[in-house]
Every structure is written in structure tokens, then in C-alpha cells.
Amino acid sequence: MAAKENIGFNVDMDVNQSDLNDFYKRLKALTPSLRREVERKVITAAGSGYKSYLKKETPISRKTGTASKWSASTKVRRGATKDALKRSVITKKSTKWNDPNKWRKAGVIGVTVGHAYRNNDVIGPHAHLVNAGHRAYYWSDKDSGQRVRGSGYLTKAQKAGAKAAGAKMKAKSKQALEVAIRKAASK
């Protein structure tokens, strides 16, 4: 899984070697189409586990240190709606990546988890600024001379979200394998 941010990184998960060997042994017994189906389900489950953890870690903009500078109309508007940064966390399957045929031919089955930017109704283009901090430009093009401190939530979520993703992945692999084996036996 890769996080969709300017600071792109891969998430490493701790998986037991014996569990992994058992999973691959059972997976090899399946037909290629059933094998890909199981792999897609497992990867999607891992992505959803990571996504839920990232959403929990994403700070609410009212608490990032800029709310005191908001105008009264902005406070009313932003207080009435859900937070845009939290809403922008999405999962994107490899079939929806740029040039999906290239990825499919390479044998990639993956999912990207991160904040949506372009071509999306929900926009969270400032996630990297909230994570790393930034200079303050309160509704103008002039630098206020202040620095807004970063929360580091993406880094925290990357480390701790891997455990949530691993747990979902393990549970889903067992379930998906059983379903695929039953499907193979009924053919």
C-alpha cells in the first residue's frame, strides 16, 4: 500500500512467516482468476483498515491552530459541515490508477490510500501542510510572519495504521480463501 501524498511512502506490515507460507500454499491450489480475486479482496481489506486509521488520525481543521483567524462567516460555514480534510481520505484500487492496463500487465494488485486532490468533489489539497507545518497566510497573499506547526498525523498514521491494515488483511485472507476454495470445489 502506498500513501497518496507528496511525501509518498510504503507501509510495511508484520506478518508471521508460517501464516504467509500457509496462505501461499493454499493460494497456489486455486485457479489464476480465483487467486487474483482473493488477492484483490485481501489488498482492499488492508487498504480499508489503513484508511479508517488515517481518518481517525486526521486532525479537524478547527483544531489545527488557524480557527482563531477565521472570519465569522467562515466559522459558521465550516462549523456546519463535515471537515474537508477528513472527508478527502479515499482508497483507490489499482484498476483506477493512471494507466491501469500497464499495472495489470505488470501483475500489480494494489490500493492507494490518501487524500483526494484533483477531479474529486471532496478536496483536501492541504494535507501535506497540516502534516509538516507551513507559513501562515491568513486570507491574503502576504506572509503574516507566523508559522503554523505541523501535526505529523500522516507519519503517525503510517506507522500505527500498518497494524490495523495487517489485522484486516489477515482476517480477510482467511475468509476469502475459504470462499474461493468452496467456489473451486463446486465447479
Side-chain angles (χ1 to χ4, degrees):
M1 253 178 348
K4 186 180 177 185
E5 279 304 318
N6 292 342
I7 57 168
F9 47 78
N10 288 326
V11 176
D12 295 323
M13 291 181 267
D14 294 328
V15 180
N16 227 345
Q17 186 64 40
S18 62
D19 289 343
L20 197 58
N21 290 340
D22 181 49
F23 176 74
Y24 280 122
K25 186 174 85 177
R26 293 178 74 186
L27 196 61
K28 281 183 181 180
L30 300 174
T31 64
S33 63
L34 283 175
R35 190 177 317 143
R36 282 189 305 276
E37 185 180 315
V38 169
E39 290 168 344
R40 273 191 215 97
K41 286 179 182 178
V42 170
I43 295 297
T44 303
S48 71
Y50 184 75
K51 176 186 172 184
S52 65
Y53 196 83
L54 180 59
K55 269 193 164 184
K56 287 177 193 172
E57 287 294 314
T58 303
I60 298 171
S61 60
R62 290 186 301 277
K63 299 177 183 176
T64 59
T66 61
S68 62
K69 305 289 184 187
W70 290 358
S71 66
S73 63
T74 302
K75 285 181 183 176
V76 169
R77 191 176 72 242
R78 289 197 178 178
T81 61
K82 291 185 177 179
D83 193 65
L85 192 58
K86 271 190 192 274
R87 288 183 320 155
S88 70
V89 177
I90 62 163
T91 56
K92 192 174 185 182
K93 295 179 183 180
S94 57
T95 56
K96 303 294 182 190
W97 293 352
N98 291 342
D99 200 1
N101 289 334
K102 178 181 94 173
W103 296 108
R104 190 180 70 245
K105 286 177 186 174
V108 173
I109 296 175
V111 65
T112 303
V113 180
H115 293 280
Y117 291 168
R118 297 172 188 93
N119 301 325
N120 198 307
D121 296 337
V122 179
I123 300 172
H126 56 290
H128 64 287
L129 299 173
V130 175
N131 184 55
H134 57 90
R135 304 279 301 172
Y137 290 83
Y138 299 111
W139 287 271
S140 73
D141 58 353
K142 294 183 181 172
D143 186 352
S144 68
Q146 297 176 348
R147 178 137 181 94
V148 177
R149 190 174 24 171
S151 65
Y153 78 97
L154 286 171
T155 311
K156 291 175 198 168
Q158 183 237 347
K159 291 176 182 172
K163 290 180 183 169
K168 278 232 179 182
M169 191 174 182
K170 190 173 182 177
K172 190 61 166 186
S173 66
K174 192 175 192 177
Q175 177 194 8
L177 266 174
E178 289 171 2
V179 168
I181 290 169
R182 272 190 250 120
K183 239 186 211 182
S186 67
K187 286 185 178 181

